[in-house]
Amino acid sequence: MDWQAVLLSIRLATATTAILLVVAVPLAAWLAFSRRRWTVLVEAVVALPLVLPPTVLGYYVLVALGSRSPLGRWWEQTVGTPLAFSFTGLLVASVLYSLPFAVQPLLASFAGVDRRLVETSAVLGRGTAATVLRVVLPLSRAGLATAAVLTFAHTVGEFGVVLMVGGNIPGETRTVSIAVYDAVQAFDYATAGRTSLLLLAFSLLVLTATYALQRRGQVPVWPRP
């Protein structure tokens, strides 16, 4: 088994989950409590990775991070290495394709908080940030945990976007899903079988944890199509 790829996947999933929890909490709170009509457009953009083929999403991210894009050129001139086909580029792509897996459970959980508690907090003079931190988040622990579990698991198992943006560089961008693909290409079915069994057991564990959290907090994971 390619343990280097396993450890890289865990490192990538941990970093992606940490970043997305910081980004997703205010974004989901805004989507849940904003009364602006165009929030539906933002919601659709956030959910886009759920329906877009991974290779298509990976293509657009690769174009955005490549050496010919303004961001790619700036990064290469500043850091001295290309952003695409690097761990940092792969992390950026992971944050984008796992975004709905963090936002959707939080949005469902936030939407289930009693509005009277939110309005009471506002009447008592607390701002939006204080209300989210002191009222909404404590009542949404199950949604927060579900978001973290789903984000971590989805990042570990992603293949198409990883291959498009990160390629297959051992120790840099070669994740466990790419290692399975490589083993099959080399007719090493024993290694592919062991690694696939590890991913299967991990996925089953994640689903069990997710449904347990749903039962405890009554949080629908996918409240909206």
Side-chain angles (χ1 to χ4, degrees):
M1 189 176 296
D2 189 343
W3 289 108
Q4 186 182 51
V6 173
L7 292 176
L8 181 67
S9 295
I10 294 173
R11 177 186 166 202
L12 178 66
T14 302
T16 301
T17 303
I19 292 172
L20 276 181
L21 286 183
V22 173
V23 173
V25 167
L27 178 57
W30 180 75
L31 289 173
F33 299 116
S34 175
R35 295 180 179 177
R36 298 181 185 277
R37 293 182 178 179
W38 52 274
T39 54
V40 294
L41 177 60
V42 178
E43 205 172 338
V45 172
V46 169
L48 202 56
L50 292 174
V51 296
L52 205 60
T55 49
V56 174
L57 177 61
Y59 168 76
Y60 283 118
V61 176
L62 181 61
V63 170
L65 303 184
S67 299
R68 295 183 180 180
S69 71
L71 176 60
R73 279 199 303 272
W74 172 82
W75 180 271
E76 196 163 344
Q77 291 168 0
T78 304
V79 179
T81 57
L83 184 54
F85 303 107
S86 69
F87 180 81
T88 304
L90 188 57
L91 180 59
V92 173
S94 297
V95 168
L96 292 175
Y97 71 67
S98 292
L99 181 62
F101 291 85
V103 171
Q104 291 280 4
L106 286 172
L107 180 55
S109 191
F110 290 173
V113 173
D114 192 336
R115 290 299 182 104
R116 289 173 296 184
L117 297 176
V118 176
E119 291 168 359
T120 301
S121 177
V123 170
L124 292 175
R126 288 177 178 168
T128 303
T131 299
V132 170
L133 289 175
R134 297 187 179 184
V135 178
V136 177
L137 275 181
L139 295 173
S140 306
R141 288 190 294 269
L144 194 63
T146 301
V149 170
L150 285 178
T151 301
F152 189 92
H154 181 254
T155 305
V156 169
E158 177 57 34
F159 174 77
V161 175
V162 173
L163 188 62
M164 291 288 288
V165 179
N168 186 4
I169 305 173
E172 182 74 19
T173 62
R174 187 183 186 190
T175 61
V176 66
S177 58
I178 302 295
V180 172
Y181 176 77
D182 271 357
V184 172
Q185 290 293 100
F187 300 104
D188 186 359
Y189 294 111
T191 300
R194 286 194 296 269
T195 309
S196 297
L197 183 61
L198 176 67
L199 282 178
L200 177 64
F202 174 72
S203 300
L204 183 60
L205 180 65
V206 166
L207 285 176
T208 304
T210 302
Y211 286 120
L213 288 168
Q214 280 185 268
R215 284 175 177 269
R216 181 178 298 178
Q218 296 297 310
V219 180
V221 178
W222 310 116
R224 305 176 189 185

